[in-house]
Amino acid sequence: MGHYSNSCPRFQQHLLAYEHGEEMCDEQPPMEEGQIMEEESEYISAKDVLGECLVTCRLCLTPKPEEHWLRHNIFTCRCSINGKICKLIIDSGSCENVISQDAAQRLNLNVEAYPTPYKLGWLNHDNDVWVTKRCLVSFSIGEKYKDKVWCDLVPMDACHILLGRPWQYDRGIVHDGKANTYTFYKDKRKLVLVPSKGDNSKLNQEKRVSCLSRQEFEQELLGTDLIFALITSPMVMDHEEPDIKTLPSHVKRVVEEYRDVFPDELPPGLPPMREIQHQIDLMPEANLPNKAHYRMSPKEHEELRRQVEELLEKGYIRESCPCAVPALLVPKKDGSWRMCVDSRAINRITIKYRFPIPRLDDMLDQLSGATIFSKIDLKSGYHQIRVRQGDEWRTAFKTREGLFEWMVMPFGLSNAPSTFVRVMNQVLRPFIGRSVVVYFDDILICSKDEEAHLQHLMEVLDTLRKERLYATLKNVY
């Protein structure tokens, strides 16, 4: 390293050896029976316990070694016991192999009485622990190292299993103090256990949340005059509608009065033709798409046909004949299917229109000082907006049964989010920034007191009723 071959200072030595008939090679001498090659070392780390990585990143630079964290770190890694991932520590200062009592119970290990019970002393001999039970633990680190050790049961929470001097003596362990690795031979293979960055590293310490036991909590109560308690209550999830019986009395009256604004399903028929409709302007001289429909299983075809017939009955779509893009089904979280239209081909030739989307930071600033909130979501909000007359054929999609076009605004079209925000801003313009925050189909009514909140809620519901917009009352905070 550091010079060219023609100026190698050892060139004459190589030449002299060649002239005397000595063969220069890097081959190793033949191995004797039972001998283990040093080059066959297999490095085992805790990452092997978690399985294979699906995405691998390669950096084409020589990384600088960062081993400073090893100076204050004991050997910790993950191991597998009965198919469960456990924390393992190797400590040469422990005179026995031990396992946590709680871990042995959770792992359903066979525990037996210790032949000769003894006291296990730690740093402080005043807190000796009696060891009366033991168990045979079968563990593995990665796929290359599997072993069985006898461990004594002790109450500890530092780890699940701790390997001490008995394991190191039986396996003939060689410890590298700087790299903090443990090298040994098993089944004529050289294995090297590599540590992981544990919680003992001073450079990687994280704040932990500690919980008091009931006895400790009672002791804390005796030593203080004032205590603050945070009491949680079950809240309604966003996908669930609150029970009217659980609502406050004043909100319950409003919900009953505006029952027509909160229907279980959207009424059949098309929504009214408002001032703002979804328009689709295509680029001049663009080729109209004509994509083939997707291949589906018979079960998927039947589900798609059912949803198309349902939309036909509601009047949201009608049969069409010009350009078309394919339709497909995507699964929902609840196991049902959602019909989607692959509108990428028509979106590529659509002229894009810009409209500002609300910023979440600005919306959160508007909630300053409010103490009462009501959350309302539009029910199938996109389907409550009409497509501009004359543009319906541009939304045509294809199925095995034929071509259909949308009469209401579907998902997946260019400019659809902008159209929706424009409609919401126009309908709720008198309240936005004063008592209402709107983000697409989410309407949040915020007030400082109950009387004002009730008034704001009724004003918003009157507007929705006037515009024939149907919603769902999600929650009242």
Side-chain angles (χ1 to χ4, degrees), residues 133-158:
K133 296 180 180 180
R134 68 175 183 176
C135 64
L136 183 62
V137 181
S138 299
F139 68 95
S140 63
I141 303 178
E143 299 179 355
K144 302 174 182 178
Y145 177 46
K146 297 180 181 180
D147 206 344
K148 293 182 179 181
V149 293
W150 282 99
C151 295
D152 302 337
L153 267 70
V154 297
M156 67 174 181
D157 54 7

Side-chain angles (χ1 to χ4, degrees), residues 145-198:
Y145 177 46
K146 297 180 181 180
D147 206 344
K148 293 182 179 181
V149 293
W150 282 99
C151 295
D152 302 337
L153 267 70
V154 297
M156 67 174 181
D157 54 7
C159 63
H160 299 105
I161 180 174
L162 186 145
L163 301 180
R165 284 292 305 151
W167 173 79
Q168 299 179 37
Y169 179 85
D170 296 339
R171 303 297 179 267
I173 299 298
V174 177
H175 180 223
D176 185 343
K178 186 174 181 62
N180 199 15
T181 58
Y182 288 85
T183 306
F184 59 98
Y185 295 94
K186 186 174 180 8
D187 299 332
K188 297 184 180 182
R189 291 189 305 173
K190 184 178 180 181
L191 304 179
V192 181
L193 299 183
V194 181
S196 60
K197 287 189 178 182

Side-chain angles (χ1 to χ4, degrees), residues 132-348:
T132 60
K133 296 180 180 180
R134 68 175 183 176
C135 64
L136 183 62
V137 181
S138 299
F139 68 95
S140 63
I141 303 178
E143 299 179 355
K144 302 174 182 178
Y145 177 46
K146 297 180 181 180
D147 206 344
K148 293 182 179 181
V149 293
W150 282 99
C151 295
D152 302 337
L153 267 70
V154 297
M156 67 174 181
D157 54 7
C159 63
H160 299 105
I161 180 174
L162 186 145
L163 301 180
R165 284 292 305 151
W167 173 79
Q168 299 179 37
Y169 179 85
D170 296 339
R171 303 297 179 267
I173 299 298
V174 177
H175 180 223
D176 185 343
K178 186 174 181 62
N180 199 15
T181 58
Y182 288 85
T183 306
F184 59 98
Y185 295 94
K186 186 174 180 8
D187 299 332
K188 297 184 180 182
R189 291 189 305 173
K190 184 178 180 181
L191 304 179
V192 181
L193 299 183
V194 181
S196 60
K197 287 189 178 182
D199 298 331
N200 301 302
S201 174
K202 291 185 178 181
L203 300 176
N204 296 279
Q205 289 181 352
E206 299 179 356
K207 295 182 179 179
R208 297 186 177 182
V209 179
S210 58
C211 298
L212 299 179
S213 64
R214 179 174 180 177
Q215 183 179 2
E216 294 173 338
F217 179 70
E218 292 176 351
Q219 293 177 357
E220 290 290 334
L221 290 178
L222 298 177
T224 183
D225 297 331
L226 180 64
I227 186 171
F228 294 91
L230 178 63
I231 303 176
T232 61
S233 60
M235 300 185 64
V236 180
M237 301 300 292
D238 287 344
H239 61 274
E240 299 177 354
E241 296 186 15
D243 188 3
I244 296 181
K245 298 179 181 179
T246 62
L247 296 176
S249 57
H250 60 283
V251 179
K252 190 186 304 182
R253 293 194 301 269
V254 174
V255 173
E256 292 292 345
E257 181 180 353
Y258 293 90
R259 175 61 68 179
D260 57 319
V261 182
F262 304 113
D264 296 333
E265 296 290 341
L266 289 179
L270 292 175
M273 186 67 74
R274 301 183 180 89
E275 181 179 349
I276 298 177
Q277 306 102 37
H278 182 64
Q279 61 186 47
I280 305 174
D281 295 328
L282 302 181
M283 297 178 181
E285 299 181 359
N287 294 325
L288 299 180
N290 185 19
K291 302 291 185 179
H293 64 82
Y294 288 114
R295 293 187 60 185
M296 298 182 183
S297 65
K299 183 178 179 181
E300 292 174 337
H301 272 300
E302 180 62 26
E303 175 64 21
L304 182 61
R305 184 191 61 79
R306 186 192 64 79
Q307 295 194 24
V308 168
E309 290 182 354
E310 183 179 345
L311 293 173
L312 282 171
E313 293 177 0
K314 292 182 179 180
Y316 294 166
I317 63 175
R318 66 185 180 189
E319 294 186 1
S320 182
C321 59
C323 65
V325 293
L328 68 156
L329 293 174
V330 295
K332 295 183 182 180
K333 293 182 179 180
D334 58 0
S336 59
W337 295 92
R338 183 195 305 276
M339 189 191 79
C340 297
V341 177
D342 186 0
S343 302
R344 290 175 294 179
I346 196 69
N347 289 339
R348 281 193 289 267

